[in-house]
Amino acid sequence: MAYSDKVIEHYENPRNVGTLDKNDEHVGTGLVGAPACGDVMRLQIKVSDEGVIEDAKFKTFGCGSAIASSSLATEWLKGKSIDEAEQIKNSMIAEELHLPPVKIHCSVLAEDAIKSAIADFRSKQAAKKALSAQPSSEAQGQQTSAQTTSAHAE
Amino acid sequence: MQTPIYMDYHATTPLDPRVLEAMLPYFTEKFGNAASRSHSFGWTAEEAVTHAREKIAKLIGAQNPKEIVFTSGATESDNLAVKGVAELYKEKGNHIITTVIEHKAVLDTCKRLEKQGYEVTYLPVGTDGLVSPDDVAKAIRKETVLVSVMLANNEVGTIQPIAEIGKITRAKGVLFHSDAVQGIGKTPFDVDAMNVDLASITAHKMYGPKGIGALYVRRSKPRVRLAAQLDGGGHEFGMRSGTLNVPGIVGFGKAAEIMLNEGKAESERILALREKLRKRLMTELDEVKVNGSLEHRLPGNLNVSFAFVEGEAMIMAIKDVAVSSGSACTSASLEPSYVLHAMGVGDDLAHSSIRFGLGRFTTEEEVDFVADLVIAKVNKLRDMSPLYEMHKEGIDLASVQWAAH
């Protein structure tokens, strides 16, 4: 498979490899894909109180394109607001990396990972709000949050 | 030491310089058509072909050199054997037995025959990648005309119990074909001792040229008959028309001669190198699994899964080494290896498999280099793998509800 220089560059020098504390209320975690399909991407964002993504980390099990797609995604996420981050489309990633048609799938996975991380962050925030508004429904709020994460993170 | 290092000897092998030397005159001054009976150019070519036939016959234990029918390669040999027998013995029956881990040249040929009304039994393999002779015996029925089982598998290098299967097929009066391409010269193979009636072989897997292969077709006890698949001048005893590739045949013969003289010692040397590589990978890394039987395996084959690392990413990481992967990401199909699947290897580990193929020109220095590189890169990729992190945290990955995609 002939890859573009950009894919190879990201693959050889991946940006932002690592792990953020998934229990931190400022952190949103997205875990997408499946080992049986040959690719699993975990993308994490750390969002400031002002709603700006101040850090992004990834870990990816997958081919070179999957690693490059997630590496690029973390680069793009940093400094963006949540709303801006949501505008990142797989086609933008595929175009930037010149992914061959058979690898478009990897960029789709990266977009899904971004959306999933944002969703996780939002559900944490919603749970937090619910908690402070209705102290009595504490248990229920936590349960919802845990369920949402479980689908993605564990 | 030069890079890239070639460790894909199952795909093809470099031509031995001695083979090239033997071939060269047959491109230029000895260019005759082996079918030309009226002049010395033709006679010279024919003599060279006869000589090559003898060497190839000897390598596989065939009594009669005329049992060697030259083809364009193993794919053609497999097609000729399976279709040729199926068509000619149609009156006797329409049932063929093969295995799920055969090369596509056999499997796809069988699938075509199924569309034409034949019935095919695809025998399973165990987790060791081996076919059970008992399963062969049980699958044979009175309509069975052919059993086709490969000598050695091209992906996992497992060596099938050909002698045991041959005993069964001979006793039941069923023809036995073996795609012997990967195993010739590397593991014992004797068509008479093993009761093989047809065998596919090819030159380029044994340090000969590409584009020349042969089908062994038994001439006595029993005499195997075939429906020719190419019509024309009736070359090769009427079984395969087409002007002979004389330089290729000469090279094939030379390659066979070298294998006959050196194959055994070479296999021992290669096995020692393979074991060195395997032991280093398995002691210096955790979660490395060998796919298929270690005991019944080609000396030069090491098919391993590095859990939590994807095969194609691995291949990219070790770009100074030419290897192959059972990972679907290396192909357009996105389906991982059907051979690993048939052995019960889970999709996750199938996606993590790498096939190292060592051969005649592999050196110890290369093995050391490859081991160092692979160990470093597996560690690097695992640092990047969410699965390895989860594994280290004690999470059972099988219990995770993954989003299918």
Side-chain angles (χ1 to χ4, degrees):
Chain A
M1 178 90 45
Y3 276 135
S4 70
D5 292 345
K6 279 186 185 166
V7 169
I8 292 168
E9 211 282 313
H10 269 279
Y11 171 77
E12 285 178 351
N13 307 294
R15 307 353 172 210
N16 309 309
V17 175
T19 308
L20 298 171
D21 177 9
K22 68 171 189 272
N23 298 316
D24 183 336
E25 62 182 33
H26 292 100
V27 171
T29 300
L31 184 70
V32 297
C37 304
D39 38 28
V40 175
M41 226 177 248
R42 189 190 64 199
L43 201 143
Q44 295 182 299
I45 49 172
K46 186 170 190 179
V47 186
S48 71
D49 291 333
E50 290 73 39
V52 174
I53 298 172
E54 52 188 20
D55 201 4
K57 296 273 184 210
F58 86 92
K59 280 202 178 186
T60 292
F61 160 81
C63 65
S65 299
I67 289 170
S69 297
S70 38
S71 169
L72 178 69
T74 56
E75 260 195 340
W76 280 357
L77 285 170
K78 280 189 181 182
K80 281 196 167 63
S81 71
I82 291 281
D83 292 341
E84 285 166 345
E86 263 187 324
Q87 301 308 310
I88 297 174
K89 292 278 174 286
N90 84 284
S91 53
M92 296 153 73
I93 294 170
E95 196 180 330
E96 173 72 14
L97 294 173
H98 303 289
L99 293 183
V102 70
K103 300 291 183 176
I104 296 300
H105 169 79
C106 300
S107 63
V108 173
L109 204 62
E111 182 186 323
D112 288 351
I114 295 171
K115 294 219 161 83
S116 173
I118 292 172
D120 180 49
F121 171 75
R122 286 204 169 126
S123 75
K124 269 186 184 171
Q125 295 302 308
K128 198 172 95 181
K129 265 188 202 159
L131 270 178
S132 52
Q134 292 172 289
S136 59
S137 61
E138 187 176 331
Q140 208 183 354
Q142 267 180 348
Q143 201 179 4
T144 317
S145 170
Q147 274 170 353
T148 318
T149 349
S150 74
H152 299 293
E154 295 180 350
Chain B
M1 194 186 61
Q2 270 193 326
T3 54
I5 291 164
Y6 190 74
M7 279 209 182
D8 202 14
Y9 277 81
H10 305 82
T12 194
T13 56
L15 194 82
D16 189 303
R18 293 170 287 181
V19 171
L20 178 63
E21 201 186 334
M23 289 171 71
L24 283 174
Y26 291 88
F27 286 104
T28 50
E29 71 262 32
K30 298 178 180 179
F31 61 85
N33 186 328
S36 296
R37 294 281 160 81
S38 54
H39 50 67
S40 64
F41 293 89
W43 303 333
T44 303
E46 191 190 10
E47 197 188 323
V49 168
T50 302
H51 196 47
R53 232 187 265 285
E54 287 165 0
K55 291 179 193 167
I56 295 162
K58 203 171 169 196
L59 180 65
I60 62 170
Q63 297 300 317
N64 184 349
K66 288 182 177 168
E67 293 174 305
I68 303 299
V69 173
F70 288 112
T71 64
S72 62
T75 293
E76 190 191 332
S77 298
D78 286 341
N79 272 262
L80 178 57
V82 178
K83 289 177 188 165
V85 166
E87 283 174 27
L88 209 86
Y89 291 82
K90 203 156 52 181
E91 297 303 308
K92 188 191 171 224
N94 69 340
H95 181 234
I96 294 165
I97 298 168
T98 188
T99 82
V100 290
I101 63 162
E102 295 299 306
H103 190 274
K104 290 282 183 188
V106 168
L107 288 178
D108 287 357
T109 300
C110 286
K111 280 184 193 136
R112 180 181 292 266
L113 287 172
E114 279 185 290
K115 283 185 194 146
Q116 294 168 5
Y118 291 86
E119 282 183 48
V120 181
T121 300
Y122 300 91
L123 297 176
V125 291
T127 52
D128 53 6
L130 297 173
V131 178
S132 148
D134 280 352
D135 285 353
V136 176
K138 280 181 215 147
I140 293 176
R141 46 201 210 213
K142 71 177 196 309
E143 300 83 21
T144 308
V145 290
L146 183 72
V147 170
S148 180
V149 178
M150 69 200 329
L151 171 60
N153 182 266
N154 46 307
E155 275 188 50
V156 290
T158 50
I159 297 167
Q160 302 300 335
I162 297 300
E164 282 98 316
I165 296 169
K167 243 179 238 167
I168 294 163
T169 52
R170 182 55 46 84
K172 300 226 180 184
V174 174
L175 294 180
F176 181 25
H177 166 249
S178 184
D179 175 345
V181 167
Q182 290 288 343
I184 294 284
K186 299 154 197 170
T187 181
F189 183 67
D190 185 304
V191 288
D192 269 6
M194 295 176 169
N195 293 312
V196 171
D197 301 312
L198 301 117
S200 303
I201 51 180
T202 195
H204 79 101
K205 310 275 190 185
M206 44 189 264
Y207 314 96
K210 291 164 189 65
I212 184 71
L215 180 66
Y216 161 78
V217 185
R218 181 175 291 283
R219 283 202 159 215
S220 68
K221 297 176 191 173
R223 182 186 179 96
V224 178
R225 294 182 308 135
L226 285 178
Q229 301 297 306
L230 292 179
D231 297 316
H235 306 75
E236 295 301 276
F237 324 110
M239 291 193 230
R240 202 276 189 179
S241 290
T243 297
L244 291 182
N245 169 4
V246 178
I249 289 168
V250 169
F252 195 175
K254 184 68 187 176
E257 182 187 284
I258 296 171
M259 266 304 188
L260 201 61
N261 295 333
E262 302 173 10
K264 195 162 178 288
E266 179 173 283
S267 286
E268 284 168 15
R269 188 188 73 88
I270 292 169
L271 179 65
L273 290 179
R274 198 273 316 269
E275 280 301 279
K276 183 175 192 190
L277 179 62
R278 181 183 71 83
K279 283 174 183 160
R280 280 205 59 198
L281 297 180
M282 296 188 78
T283 51
E284 295 174 47
L285 290 168
D286 63 342
E287 301 294 332
V288 179
K289 291 188 180 71
V290 175
N291 295 310
S293 165
L294 195 56
E295 187 191 346
H296 303 282
R297 175 183 290 264
L298 291 175
N301 177 283
L302 184 62
N303 187 309
V304 284
S305 291
F306 300 102
F308 319 116
V309 172
E310 199 274 335
E312 192 213 285
M314 189 61 204
I315 285 181
M316 269 178 89
I318 55 169
K319 61 179 187 300
D320 282 339
V321 187
V323 291
S324 155
S325 164
S327 156
C329 260
T330 51
S331 69
S333 74
L334 296 179
E335 289 297 320
S337 153
Y338 67 92
V339 172
L340 295 176
H341 205 252
M343 289 162 53
V345 176
D347 282 345
D348 48 348
L349 281 180
H351 278 294
S352 300
S353 74
I354 299 281
R355 178 186 70 182
F356 297 92
L358 287 66
R360 181 171 292 170
F361 304 104
T362 305
T363 64
E364 184 152 12
E365 192 187 10
E366 288 178 335
V367 167
D368 288 331
F369 176 88
V370 170
D372 289 341
L373 186 69
V374 168
I375 290 162
K377 295 300 182 180
V378 167
N379 284 327
K380 184 188 172 195
L381 287 167
R382 281 181 174 171
D383 282 345
M384 217 190 288
S385 168
L387 303 180
Y388 191 62
E389 187 183 302
M390 290 162 84
H391 167 73
K392 285 280 159 194
E393 284 170 1
I395 296 169
D396 176 12
L397 294 176
S399 71
V400 178
Q401 194 88 48
W402 301 101
H405 65 104

